[in-house]
Each structure stands twice: as structure tokens, then as C-alpha cells.
Amino acid sequence: EQALLGFGRAYREAGDLTKSLDALEKLLTLKPDWSSANYQMAETQASMDQINVAAEYYSKAIEGGGNPIDIKNRMAEVYLSHGRVEDALSVYQELRSSGSADIRAYGELATLLQGREQFTDAESVLQEALQKFPEHPEAHFKLGMHLALVKNYTLALKQLEKARELSPTDPRIQKAISLTAHRLGNLDRAIAEAEQLLSLVPDSAGDRFYLATLVEELGDDSKARELYEALLAQEPKHVGGLNNLANLLIKAKEPERAVELARRATLEAPDNAAVLDTAGWALFHRGDHQRALRRLESAVEKGQGRPNHRYHLAVVYHQLGQNAKAIEQLELALERGAEISELTNAKELIAKLRRG
């Protein structure tokens, strides 16, 4: 019987669902009420996309003495993986109403309610989870993330700090604290928390990139460059790192290397508008105006006319003597002027071109 159970699981994991089904059917003929056998049959039926049949076997597994909380959580997970959100919601609500929901069920139920924009209901679920599991870091973390979602950043930060007290080495919590501090406008703290995050996960390219963007936002280009350089030593094809370092090099009047980094970025993300814009802007600063024009026209097209991209394209049109096209791009850019980082430059250029 144990051998048949093992075969049923092993065949399924190997992708041979027919043999898995055969082994489990034989087993259930011998022991029809065995919880483990019914659970494995449910898993195989789910792998065959027979979700209603799988649900019946999950129920039999519970009747046979299986852990109802674990099995119902798994049933809801299967429903979700097959797009049956309402069925998953019903399972989680049943767990909650029966008083048997664990922290995972509370979190998943809240996530589903958030997806339906039932934010008040989601918060009630998470507050209930916190009352039931006051010393569980996940309860504080989930509530903190929800409060951040509804932009109550001050209360969110308090919950996240409590989560960190209970689980000081969880990088998810650490990053959430940094992000929330940033939302509150405390860039210095956001950076300090991001540095602490990186000490927890020193091999995380994504978190090194995140720290670099914060430092760049602070205006410390030198330190930002160091972080991007370290990132690219760690992950040479990181598109964000290549792109952002190229922009810093343009700013530092080092166009040759900027062009090379931007070229590498375009190899990895040839349809990314921001990458194309950086590549074109780097080429312009190197004096290669025709190639810059092609890149920037593509950036405007693929980026649906982002104002910064239009401004860069206008500068190149002006350099090539195509002032009517430059004015057109500047007018379109200035319609969304608050989004242009070079707003003053854009206004000065269009005024100059209109004067002739």
C-alpha cells in the first residue's frame, strides 16, 4: 500500500498522470478511506485539470482524518491556480467562519478581497488575524502591507516595525519598511533601511538596484555609480543597472562608455522605451546625431510619447535643423510638462525656436 502511494506520487511528479491514476485507483480499491491516498488522488486529478473531482477527493481526505486546515488551504490554492476565484474565496471564508483559519488562510482571503477592491473587508480580515495571532510576524506584515496599499503609510510603518521586532531578518519586512519610509518622504531613512536590507541579502541584485535608485534620487551620483558598478559586476546583463549607469555617465560627460552600456541594455531589452531613449541620448552626446535620431524616434513610438523622450527627440531635431518637428515634439511634451525632468530646458528651447 505504501508502495502504491509512492508510485502514485512519483509518477505524477514525473508527468505520467495515467500511471499515477492507475496506481492510486488500485490503492483506493484496497483502502478507500485512507486520507493520504485520497489526498494524492486529489493532487493527480488536479494535475489533470479535473478540479471538481479533485475537490471530492480532498473532502474524502478530510473525512479520513487528514488535517482539514492544510487540505482546505491546498484546495483553495488549486482553485486559484485554475482561475476559480469564487470557489477559493468560499473555502477561505468557510475556514474563517468556522474559526479554523490559520495565518495563511487569513492572508490569502485578504488578498482576494483586495483584488475585488473590498478594502474595508480585507482590513477587517487582517485585524481579526492580528487578534488571533498577535505574536505572529506575518499578521503584522500583512496588515502593514494592506495599510500601505490604502496609503495609510504612518500606521503601515508601525505595523511593519512590529513585524520586524518579531522577525528581524525577514528581507520582505525590511524592504517594506524602506518603501514605506520613502512613501512618507523620508528618503534618508529609506536609504538606511535599504542598506540594512542589502546586509541581509547581499547577493540580491534587485535590492542593490533598489538602493542605488534611492541614492541617485538623493543626488549622490558618486555613490550611486559605485552601487551600479557593483551591481553590474554581480549581474552584467541587469537592464536597469546598465540603463541608469549610462544616464549617470551622460550627466558626467562620459558619452563613450554611456553609449556602450546603453548598447548592452538594448541587446537585453530592444523594445524598452526608456532603454531606447537612453541609448539615443547617449549617442547624441557623443555627436552621432543620425543614429541618435533613430533610437529616439523609436523610444517615442514605443513609449507612447513620454514627455522626456519627446524633449530629447526635439533636441536632436533642432540639432539637425528640423525645427518644425522639434517644435511639434516640444508642444506635445509640454502638454504634460510636470512630467518632464528637464522642464526649464524644454521651455527655453521652444521659446528660442518660436523666435526663429
Side-chain angles (χ1 to χ4, degrees), residues 60-126:
K60 289 179 181 179
I62 293 171
E63 291 168 6
N67 185 308
I69 299 174
D70 289 345
I71 294 173
K72 285 184 178 180
N73 273 324
R74 175 57 183 160
M75 189 187 303
E77 187 178 88
V78 168
Y79 279 138
L80 285 175
S81 69
H82 287 77
R84 293 174 58 168
V85 175
E86 293 300 321
D87 289 321
L89 195 62
S90 294
V91 173
Y92 289 131
Q93 287 173 331
E94 179 187 341
L95 282 168
R96 182 191 181 194
S97 61
S98 67
S100 55
D102 59 5
I103 193 68
R104 174 186 173 191
Y106 276 118
E108 293 296 338
L109 175 56
T111 298
L112 291 177
L113 292 170
Q114 288 166 349
R116 293 155 62 107
E117 298 187 358
Q118 295 175 231
F119 298 116
T120 302
D121 291 339
E123 186 166 337
S124 295
V125 167
L126 293 170

Side-chain angles (χ1 to χ4, degrees), residues 102-282:
D102 59 5
I103 193 68
R104 174 186 173 191
Y106 276 118
E108 293 296 338
L109 175 56
T111 298
L112 291 177
L113 292 170
Q114 288 166 349
R116 293 155 62 107
E117 298 187 358
Q118 295 175 231
F119 298 116
T120 302
D121 291 339
E123 186 166 337
S124 295
V125 167
L126 293 170
Q127 291 284 4
E128 183 179 308
L130 187 58
Q131 291 175 2
K132 190 173 180 181
F133 304 101
E135 297 303 313
H136 199 303
E138 200 70 14
H140 293 277
F141 175 67
K142 291 288 188 182
L143 180 56
M145 294 298 286
H146 172 79
L147 290 167
L149 178 65
V150 297
K151 300 183 179 180
N152 192 339
Y153 299 117
T154 300
L155 289 181
L157 190 58
K158 290 180 180 178
Q159 289 298 327
L160 293 169
E161 287 170 338
K162 179 60 178 178
R164 182 168 62 181
E165 288 177 19
L166 296 167
S167 183
T169 60
D170 188 330
R172 299 173 309 142
I173 298 171
Q174 184 62 39
K175 187 162 189 177
I177 289 173
S178 176
L179 288 165
T180 305
H182 187 251
R183 288 291 188 179
L184 285 167
N186 192 338
L187 184 54
D188 287 335
R189 181 174 179 189
I191 290 171
E193 299 290 358
E195 289 173 336
Q196 188 172 335
L197 168 66
L198 199 57
S199 73
L200 294 175
V201 283
D203 295 330
S204 171
D207 291 319
R208 192 176 300 278
F209 177 73
Y210 168 63
L211 173 58
T213 62
L214 293 178
V215 171
E216 185 178 356
E217 183 180 342
L218 185 66
D220 190 342
D221 289 358
S222 176
K223 185 175 178 181
R225 281 182 63 165
E226 289 178 10
L227 287 163
Y228 287 130
E229 296 281 11
L231 168 63
L232 294 176
Q234 176 183 2
E235 192 172 312
K237 294 184 179 182
H238 193 285
V239 174
L242 290 165
N243 187 71
N244 289 11
L245 182 53
N247 274 313
L248 286 177
L249 290 167
I250 293 168
K251 187 177 176 181
K253 301 186 180 354
E254 299 178 42
E256 287 295 339
R257 186 160 179 242
V259 167
E260 173 56 22
L261 291 174
R263 183 192 67 80
R264 286 164 53 189
T266 56
L267 289 175
E268 301 303 319
D271 294 322
N272 184 298
V275 167
L276 290 167
D277 175 70
T278 300
W281 201 228

